[in-house]
Amino acid sequence: MRRSCNRAAGKTDCIEVRGARQNNLRGLSVSLPRESLIVFTGVSGSGKSTLAFGTIYAEAKRRYFESVAPYARRLIAQLPTPHVEEIGGLPPAVALEQKRAEPGSRSSVGTLTTLSNILRMLFSRAGSYPDAGSKRLDSDAFSPNTAEGACPDCHGVGVLHDVTEESLVPDPSLSIREKAVAAWPGAWQGKNYRDILATLGYNVDIPFKDLPEKDRHWILFTEEQPVVTVHAEREAHRIQRPYKGTYMSAAVYVKKTFATTLSATLRKRVLQFMNTTDCSSCKGKRLKPESLAVRFGGHDIAELQEMPVSRLLEIIKGAPELATNEAAPVMVEEIIERIELLSQLGLDYLSLDRPAPTLSAGELQRLRLTTLFHSGLFGVVYVLDEPSAGLHPLDAEPLASMLFRLKEEGNTLILVEHELDLVRQADWIVDIGPGGGDRGGRLIYSGPVADLDGSPESVTAGFLNGKRKMRSRPRLEPGEFFTLKGASRHNLRDLEARFPLGLLTTVTGVSGAGKSTLVSRVLAQTVREWLGSPDEDPGQDTEDAEDDDELLDEKPDRGKATISGAERIKRLVCVDQKPIGRTPRSNLATYTGLFDHIRKLFAATDEARKRGYGAGRFSFNVAEGRCPVCEGEGFVSVELLFLPSVYAPCASCKGRRYKESTLEIEYKGVDIASVLDMTVDAACQFFEDSKQVARPLNILRQVGLGYLKLGQPATELSGGEAQRIKLASELKREQKGKTLYLLDEPTTGLHPDDIEKLLILLYGLVEAGNTVIVVEHDMNVVARSDWVIEMGPGAADLGGLIVAEGTPEQVAGSKGKSAPYLKLALEELV
Ligand code: ADP
Ligand code: ADP
Ligand code: ZN
Ligand code: ZN
């Protein structure tokens, strides 16, 4: 079912893709009309991103490099060439992928939109100065990041960090041996300092508070770094030679680490041992007094950057300077234009000083989208990854009109998108499928949206025409509730919320209302502290903790929240779409624990027993049985001068990861490397008679992951796939009914067919008696939950309240902004 794109779109120009074979694409060919809004649809893993980003955009980027600079040829030779026979008619392309800003990035909403620059210029040229006669300040003087503008007392940081005896030694009744100096590093280094003090003659066994004041002060604050020969005391059985150790006082250690470390975790740790106070000269505003004295519309620049841009807009529109200063109107005009774009994309609750790393991936992508309008580019292909992510249906309407405007300016838009309302409005739809992985990768349909119906294989068609409805189950009645009190963070002010135990609850409301703040921040943190144990994020390793959301949040709580009635909850699990591991060593089989059982099966074969091979022999993480050349990775990294290294299959094991002798062992005629190469579907049959292996495999299959290979490296899984694997491994746990699951927009990146599978998983968790709370904009999911909490009424300062709660019908009948959308979704439910 293919149409010529020329005829249907009335255009002469097409982008022609011939024979794409990247990842799971099977020689896919398609032609796309230029200057149109095109959506790529298909279930998770079908190959949409591969076609959009891995093929079309990758090729555009390669050609761009080729055209700009002949000297870059050698570089291009290294850029991965997409596996495609030919792409014709391809204009230059710009891609916006869903990615969070780098955690260390110093950019903010103001810098990304360049609004901060314009605002500084406005203050410089049109601000009101305290003395009418005073000389105007340069625009740099309004930036805390310049020597000219920074507050001299805090160097533009806004806060002062200081150490005191109390901050370094939280519990002075402990002795040094009992770790009184909590600020010291742990492990060996801490022991080293202790042993040096003992060698120097300090008593490390009496309570710290009983040491003489002079000694306490030297231990904590000395700038000296004496080198001492230490005769360390260690466990009796270990031989320890004397060594030369260098002492460092806790104050020096904390300050030095804080100033120099690149690790967010370490920074956070030492910050605990410092007192942080607002700088008293600038009151945290980071600018020098002369700059803060300048006003526009009655506010200093720091105040304007702190408020939601919607308020900023009102203030500058009504500023008296507009009438008195000639330069003001032009600059104000420019600011208004940019902020209006932000409002259209539902982002005007953000403030200019909001650091980019604290934005969600969807917010960041939409913010970048607004900057495209100022680029003045036309005749360009924009490749966008689910621009509707993170948007309430109410905010999604203006998004569509913005995308159409980009198209009308002569651009081609390719969206990987699932939001059906947006899909319906597109000019052209490319449906890939029918399934995921090996079961996908084919072109199911390419043409105008209205004609998709005639395509029997399309999973998308049924959802679009309404013939297929997402499954649901009879609603559960609420019984007991637990209560969160005193939530005060971001835009929440002493909020109280109650959540039913043992049900599926969705928290909805317009973007910026405070849903994530309530659920993912305050509730998560309060429950975590109340349980007194870290929560388990399935699959989070220590490296991942580096970009822990908590670290991104610089603004502390304005009071502690408390929780009551939650005695039933013994465990907290926050499930996100973060990767389940960052090395190719982690894969589906190892992550789910399946592989342990499989290895035991291999070790139990006659041949393995005869040779004395244990289960460890079949692990690619253990030296015994793995390929010694690639150390079980199957790949070797090839270092290239000046370029990121590339991976190539290991020549010794041909990518099979194991020693020849390990592969000689066969279980039911198949070696261990071939098992890792099986799909979940195939493995289900193969391991049929081994319950411990078959059960988890069956769960993976039920949630639509049958197409994944057991050995598929975690690094190659999509966010949606990772999330489902996490939830599936929760389902097989035996301990029941005691867990609180928190999910923040779990449907991001999911096709309706995948959303249905996710829902079934969530229902499964509730059926086992657990409590599930989901932040969600998809009204189909909200309509299928047991209980709904709507936050609002608006965003930022205009939100932060609970405006409705109850069953989906009750909330649909309320005055909340979700009501009309929820009502529509409920009508479909029957
Ligand atoms: P979609 O965007 O439709 O969800 P993708 O294009 O991300 O799907 O993936 C298509 C298939 O290719 C999936 O089976 C996925 O697991 C696989 N895949 C994705 N990235 C890679 C990669 N870097 N190497 C190998 N396979 C990959
Ligand atoms: P929602 O989840 O409903 O879209 P959020 O909880 O993300 O809303 O945001 C609520 C308010 O808190 C908004 O005004 C937002 O700008 C602000 N906010 C959210 N995260 C942060 C942060 N890390 N730092 C400062 N303000 C934040
Ligand atoms: Zn200051
Ligand atoms: Zn090898």
Side-chain angles (χ1 to χ4, degrees):
M1 178 67 195
R2 279 244 306 285
R3 287 245 203 147
S4 134
C5 85
N6 302 9
R7 200 183 61 212
K11 298 258 161 58
T12 48
D13 279 354
C14 286
I15 299 170
E16 302 277 353
V17 179
R18 294 269 155 265
R21 295 183 189 281
Q22 192 82 2
N23 293 342
N24 68 335
L25 302 182
R26 309 201 192 155
L28 186 150
S29 299
V30 67
S31 46
L32 309 169
R34 280 170 75 158
E35 296 181 31
S36 314
L37 186 67
I38 304 163
V39 287
F40 286 12
T41 55
V43 300
S44 176
S46 60
K48 307 173 296 290
S49 316
T50 301
L51 182 61
F53 292 98
T55 308
I56 297 177
Y57 175 62
E59 177 62 12
K61 187 162 70 177
R62 208 184 58 81
R63 287 188 196 173
Y64 173 74
F65 278 127
E66 209 165 42
S67 69
V68 280
Y71 76 83
R73 286 268 152 77
R74 263 182 322 132
L75 259 167
I76 305 158
Q78 306 302 340
L79 273 182
T81 308
H83 293 282
V84 57
E85 283 159 20
E86 197 193 324
I87 300 186
L90 182 61
V94 177
L96 293 180
E97 282 176 89
Q98 295 265 358
K99 262 201 219 129
R100 283 193 101 144
E102 296 288 317
S105 150
R106 296 196 55 167
S107 54
S108 64
V109 170
T111 57
L112 288 173
T113 56
T114 69
L115 270 162
S116 288
N117 267 334
I118 313 176
L119 200 61
R120 284 201 286 272
M121 230 140 60
L122 182 72
F123 267 75
S124 163
R125 307 217 188 120
S128 300
Y129 287 64
D131 300 314
S134 62
K135 198 174 151 299
R136 294 202 163 270
L137 291 169
D138 189 71
S139 71
D140 275 356
F142 297 96
S143 163
N145 299 326
T146 65
E148 237 199 300
C151 162
D153 286 344
C154 63
H155 307 286
V157 180
V159 289
L160 298 171
H161 301 289
D162 203 12
V163 287
T164 60
E165 183 165 334
E166 290 71 36
S167 75
L168 295 170
V169 182
D171 184 355
S173 68
L174 300 177
S175 70
I176 290 176
R177 189 185 302 281
E178 292 162 336
K179 304 203 167 84
V181 190
W184 271 344
W188 186 83
Q189 197 56 264
K191 288 205 193 73
N192 172 42
Y193 294 152
R194 176 197 73 197
D195 292 343
I196 294 174
L197 288 179
T199 308
L200 289 169
Y202 292 96
N203 190 338
V204 297
D205 289 304
I206 58 167
F208 191 80
K209 64 175 162 37
D210 296 338
L211 290 165
E213 140 90 63
K214 185 167 81 36
D215 291 356
R216 295 202 311 268
H217 192 268
W218 190 88
I219 291 170
L220 295 180
F221 296 102
T222 185
E223 303 267 325
E224 292 167 38
Q225 303 200 344
V227 181
V228 180
T229 302
V230 184
H231 297 271
E233 13 166 335
R234 283 289 188 276
E235 301 79 30
H237 60 277
R238 281 220 238 151
I239 303 160
Q240 186 79 44
R241 288 182 195 194
Y243 65 94
K244 286 212 183 306
T246 309
Y247 185 72
M248 193 189 287
S249 70
V252 171
Y253 166 75
V254 164
K255 286 183 184 167
K256 183 175 150 247
T257 307
F258 186 73
T260 58
T261 186
L262 297 176
S263 151
T265 315
L266 205 52
R267 217 177 120 90
K268 191 185 178 194
R269 183 180 175 275
V270 297
L271 204 52
Q272 290 181 310
F273 302 107
M274 301 172 108
N275 292 325
T276 304
T277 45
D278 264 356
C279 164
S280 58
S281 17
C282 65
K283 308 264 181 315
K285 290 178 172 178
R286 305 165 63 204
L287 290 169
K288 66 180 181 186
E290 297 87 325
S291 307
L292 288 173
V294 183
R295 315 214 144 215
F296 192 86
H299 293 268
D300 66 44
I301 191 164
E303 287 164 4
L304 293 181
Q305 306 228 48
E306 239 173 49
M307 55 179 71
V309 294
S310 53
R311 276 255 303 289
L312 168 62
L313 184 67
E314 284 167 30
I315 288 169
I316 62 165
K317 271 181 175 168
E321 288 86 353
L322 278 177
T324 56
N325 182 297
E326 283 176 16
V330 185
M331 283 182 278
V332 165
E333 193 60 36
E334 191 146 343
I335 295 177
I336 292 175
E337 203 177 290
R338 274 161 211 250
I339 295 183
E340 276 171 355
L341 278 176
L342 290 174
S343 336
Q344 279 184 29
L345 288 186
L347 292 171
D348 59 356
Y349 57 89
L350 296 174
S351 59
L352 294 186
D353 67 357
R354 178 79 175 272
T358 67
L359 300 172
S360 71
E363 284 171 330
L364 189 66
Q365 190 188 215
R366 276 180 281 131
L367 199 64
R368 294 213 167 111
L369 193 57
T370 67
T371 63
L372 296 180
F373 280 91
H374 306 292
S375 65
L377 291 175
F378 62 92
V380 170
V381 182
Y382 291 115
V383 190
L384 306 178
D385 189 2
E386 206 183 8
S388 73
L391 276 183
H392 187 269
L394 184 73
D395 304 315
E397 288 170 10
L399 169 73
S401 55
M402 227 174 114
L403 295 173
F404 278 106
R405 224 175 97 192
L406 268 182
K407 178 188 91 168
E408 264 129 44
E409 285 171 14
N411 301 296
T412 308
L413 282 94
I414 296 177
L415 320 181
V416 173
E417 184 57 72
H418 304 285
E419 223 284 305
L420 293 180
D421 285 328
L422 199 51
V423 171
R424 280 190 195 101
Q425 295 178 57
D427 303 312
W428 195 267
I429 184 170
V430 174
D431 199 38
I432 313 280
D438 289 347
R439 289 202 233 131
R442 282 194 293 122
L443 181 69
I444 300 298
Y445 174 83
S446 170
V449 180
D451 300 343
L452 176 66
D453 253 9
S455 180
E457 261 191 310
S458 170
V459 183
T460 312
F463 285 104
L464 266 181
N465 63 24
K467 287 200 187 107
R468 173 154 170 212
K469 296 187 170 48
M470 227 179 266
R471 267 190 275 171
S472 59
R473 58 127 165 82
R475 196 161 289 147
L476 301 180
E477 295 287 324
E480 289 171 73
F481 285 78
F482 74 93
T483 308
L484 178 76
K485 280 199 179 120
S488 296
R489 192 176 208 155
H490 304 153
N491 65 338
L492 308 185
R493 285 162 297 261
D494 198 18
L495 184 76
E496 180 174 327
R498 51 175 204 146
F499 303 91
L501 287 159
L503 297 192
L504 171 60
T505 298
T506 46
V507 178
T508 192
V510 297
S511 315
K515 305 179 294 293
S516 296
T517 303
L518 177 66
V519 176
S520 306
R521 299 293 167 87
V522 184
L523 181 60
Q525 192 182 330
T526 313
V527 172
R528 190 178 301 144
E529 282 171 14
W530 176 77
L531 286 173
S533 66
D535 60 314
E536 302 163 41
D537 175 350
Q540 192 162 46
D541 58 35
T542 38
E543 278 165 66
D544 282 338
E546 292 276 313
D547 47 34
D548 183 350
D549 285 347
E550 293 297 324
L551 295 175
L552 298 173
D553 219 334
E554 308 256 319
K555 290 182 186 160
D557 280 339
R558 294 180 304 273
K560 273 247 168 292
T562 56
I563 199 151
S564 58
E567 288 68 27
R568 214 171 111 182
I569 295 170
K570 300 280 183 259
R571 189 168 161 260
L572 171 69
V573 177
C574 301
V575 185
D576 56 26
Q577 294 201 357
K578 276 190 205 142
I580 56 177
R582 287 189 179 168
T583 72
R585 285 192 182 279
S586 171
N587 63 38
L588 185 63
T590 59
Y591 179 80
T592 53
L594 264 173
F595 204 44
D596 294 341
H597 298 302
I598 294 178
R599 286 192 288 119
K600 280 185 202 142
L601 291 177
F602 272 85
T605 57
D606 290 344
E607 184 62 22
R609 286 213 228 143
K610 207 166 85 195
R611 298 198 199 177
Y613 291 174
R617 176 87 199 189
F618 301 95
S619 163
F620 48 80
N621 289 320
V622 178
E624 229 188 316
R626 72 185 180 195
C627 164
V629 175
C630 61
E631 300 187 328
E633 293 217 13
F635 287 87
V636 286
S637 122
V638 184
E639 304 294 334
L640 300 165
L641 208 54
F642 307 125
L643 287 167
S645 44
V646 295
Y647 285 90
C650 168
S652 172
C653 63
K654 310 264 175 332
R656 306 201 73 207
R657 301 173 151 218
Y658 291 93
K659 278 183 193 162
E660 203 47 56
S661 52
T662 309
L663 295 176
E664 278 162 20
I665 308 297
E666 292 184 346
Y667 172 77
K668 297 210 292 197
V670 172
D671 66 33
I672 188 87
S674 307
V675 168
L676 285 174
D677 214 32
M678 282 182 188
T679 61
V680 170
D681 284 340
C684 262
Q685 277 193 334
F686 186 75
F687 290 106
E688 213 172 18
D689 38 0
S690 160
K691 233 184 108 199
Q692 277 179 308
V693 183
R695 199 172 121 75
L697 282 171
N698 265 314
I699 295 177
L700 287 168
R701 197 176 181 182
Q702 280 162 26
V703 302
L705 295 174
Y707 64 89
L708 289 178
K709 288 189 174 160
L710 296 193
Q712 186 137 355
T715 46
E716 285 175 12
L717 298 168
S718 71
E721 286 169 343
Q723 179 188 51
R724 264 192 275 162
I725 293 170
K726 290 178 194 177
L727 285 170
S729 35
E730 283 296 314
L731 267 184
K732 65 171 214 281
R733 289 179 73 95
E734 296 305 330
Q735 181 198 19
K736 302 227 159 163
K738 297 183 174 147
T739 305
L740 171 64
Y741 292 93
L742 302 182
L743 296 94
D744 202 336
E745 271 211 79
T747 62
T748 302
L750 300 190
H751 186 277
D753 185 64
D754 302 314
I755 296 178
E756 179 172 75
K757 287 172 183 139
L758 174 74
L759 259 173
I760 291 167
L761 265 169
L762 299 181
Y763 286 155
L765 292 173
V766 169
E767 202 165 293
N770 300 298
T771 304
V772 181
I773 301 175
V774 184
V775 173
E776 191 52 72
H777 290 124
D778 187 321
M779 289 301 147
N780 292 310
V781 175
V782 177
R784 284 162 179 76
S785 62
D786 301 310
W787 191 258
V788 183
I789 296 176
E790 167 147 17
M791 297 198 62
D797 294 353
L798 302 176
L801 300 174
I802 290 173
V803 292
E805 62 183 317
T807 62
E809 284 76 13
Q810 284 167 335
V811 172
S814 75
K815 291 207 176 74
K817 296 203 166 108
S818 303
Y821 303 96
L822 185 52
K823 213 173 277 165
L824 280 176
L826 281 168
E827 279 166 16
E828 279 198 6
L829 244 187
V830 272

